[in-house]
Amino acid sequence: MKRIDFRSDTCTLPSNEMRKVIFEAEVGDQGYWEDLTTLRLEEYCANLFGKESALFMPSGTMSDQVALRSWTKSGDEVILDESYHISYFQTGPSTDLGKIFLSTTRTSDGILTPDHVKNQMEVRKRGDRFPDIGLVSIENTISGQAGRIFPLEAQKELYQWCNKNHIPVHMDGERVLNACVKKNIEPHVYAMYTDSITCSFSKGLAAPFGSILMGKKSFINKARKFRKWYGGSLHQSGFMAAAALYAIKNNISRLSEDHENAFLLYENIKKDFPDLEIVVPETNIVMINIQSSNVSAKQFTNNCAENGILCHPWKSQIVRFVTHYGITKADICYASDIIKRTISDLKI
Ligand SMILES: *Cc1c(COP(=O)(O)O)cnc(C)c1O
């Protein structure tokens, strides 16, 4: 049976070319600043995003957690939307390792505005006996909002407001290159309106691991210490960095294929089921809301899996499909038929 894996864009396997650059990577002990491939990757990313400095991380979660820890002091509040990855998946480590608490808003679309931040600030009094606002964190694209793009204008307005109020802004940009490709905006333009930004190599760029954290030199120096504290200081990291460097040099423009495929999947399903609640995908994520039925997301994903189509039960009645490297247009057509049959069979 044919198997198509839409669970996440982390489910890609490295190409033969990528395996070759990993095998041949020039490496050394990065504890002594001698891993040339890692140094090259960090310099390449800092240039691409127009930041002073960059730090290679084993994972996106570590990038975010190190960023939170580097920006804040114990007991601070971090303001963000509840649909963001840091809130949805990383509440535990933010509290336990970060020693901060997440002050989450519930926006309709994940687009944080100065008004949302002001409201969160006014939840309690401020001053000596109250927590300080340590950071505002935004996400682009927004994972819990079907890969929605955080509009540049909204980001700029928020950043300028935060700047005036002396609050740094972090962008969890693990999928920011999807936004760049879709909107034809250079990475350094999004990065300009942030104090720190991350980018993943192991999502749409299809490397097996890695993320990069970028910002001012003073911030990255602090982050380098916390990366060590968190166990992320790797020695011959060039084997990982080689795959990341290959990915960021070769795989950015191919993201548009994923966007086209996600839209095609959406169209194919919507054509037959116009009443079904599906957010129009802006990038590579399709989320289907089946709340109008009695069917659970788990039941839906199980039925699809029986026919070789893997997808992710995002919430109790929301199912997520992510398009990525390795999924072709023909795969979309094949999968659409099975998904539509599942929708009919389950009477959604
Ligand atoms: C995937 C993702 C992360 C975490 O990355 P990992 O490499 O899986 O740890 C963080 N933030 C966002 C927005 C993501 O999509």
Side-chain angles (χ1 to χ4, degrees), residues 61-287:
T61 302
M62 193 181 280
S63 277
D64 286 328
Q65 288 304 318
V66 166
L68 293 187
R69 185 62 195 257
S70 304
W71 280 122
T72 58
K73 60 188 187 312
S74 174
D76 277 2
E77 230 173 282
V78 171
I79 297 176
L80 74 172
D81 187 67
E82 67 173 11
S83 68
Y84 294 166
H85 195 284
I86 290 176
S87 161
Y88 192 74
F89 281 122
Q90 304 175 41
T91 300
S94 301
T95 310
D96 189 40
L97 303 172
K99 303 181 194 302
I100 47 107
F101 84 94
L102 299 179
S103 174
T104 55
T105 63
R106 182 173 288 191
T107 63
S108 58
D109 53 8
I111 313 299
L112 212 61
T113 64
D115 275 347
H116 290 126
V117 176
K118 265 185 266 178
N119 284 341
Q120 288 308 110
M121 288 172 88
E122 285 164 12
V123 164
R124 55 186 61 77
K125 284 206 292 189
R126 299 294 165 185
D128 285 349
R129 287 172 295 136
F130 294 90
D132 292 322
I133 311 285
L135 183 70
V136 165
S137 190
I138 57 176
E139 191 170 301
N140 199 7
T141 66
I142 307 167
S143 54
Q145 303 277 352
R148 187 192 301 278
I149 293 169
F150 201 110
L152 185 63
E153 273 311 306
Q155 184 194 333
K156 189 174 164 183
E157 193 192 334
L158 179 70
Y159 177 72
Q160 287 169 346
W161 188 89
C162 289
N163 219 288
K164 234 184 286 161
N165 289 277
H166 311 289
I167 308 170
V169 175
H170 171 68
M171 178 184 275
D172 179 358
E174 298 300 349
R175 289 196 186 88
V176 70
L177 294 174
N178 290 78
C180 292
V181 166
K182 183 62 185 267
K183 292 290 185 192
N184 204 12
I185 291 173
E186 297 288 329
H188 70 85
V189 178
Y190 276 121
M192 203 186 297
Y193 305 108
T194 66
D195 294 293
S196 61
I197 181 168
T198 67
C199 177
S200 174
F201 304 113
S202 65
K203 298 251 165 93
L205 296 186
F209 25 54
S211 165
I212 194 106
L213 174 64
M214 296 162 285
K216 281 212 159 75
K217 201 168 250 155
S218 53
F219 168 78
I220 292 298
N221 282 339
K222 221 168 166 182
R224 191 175 289 107
K225 179 184 80 177
F226 286 118
R227 183 182 66 174
K228 188 164 181 78
W229 282 24
Y230 286 13
S233 170
L234 306 174
H235 294 284
Q236 283 75 20
S237 51
F239 288 114
M240 297 164 76
L245 193 55
Y246 178 89
I248 202 155
K249 283 185 176 173
N250 295 282
N251 290 350
I252 296 182
S253 63
R254 65 151 305 283
L255 293 172
S256 60
E257 248 173 83
D258 299 343
H259 303 162
E260 284 161 22
N261 284 339
F263 193 75
L264 181 62
L265 183 67
Y266 160 81
E267 270 190 328
N268 284 351
I269 300 170
K270 199 72 184 167
K271 214 167 17 187
D272 287 15
F273 299 95
D275 295 336
L276 202 58
E277 199 182 322
I278 318 176
V279 183
V280 184
E282 281 192 78
T283 55
N284 68 329
I285 301 176
V286 179
M287 276 188 177

Side-chain angles (χ1 to χ4, degrees), residues 1 9 32 38 76 235 257 292:
M1 187 170 53
D9 44 5
Y32 296 95
T38 301
D76 277 2
H235 294 284
E257 248 173 83
S292 59

Side-chain angles (χ1 to χ4, degrees), residues 127 180 294 315:
C180 292
N294 292 324
K315 283 193 176 171

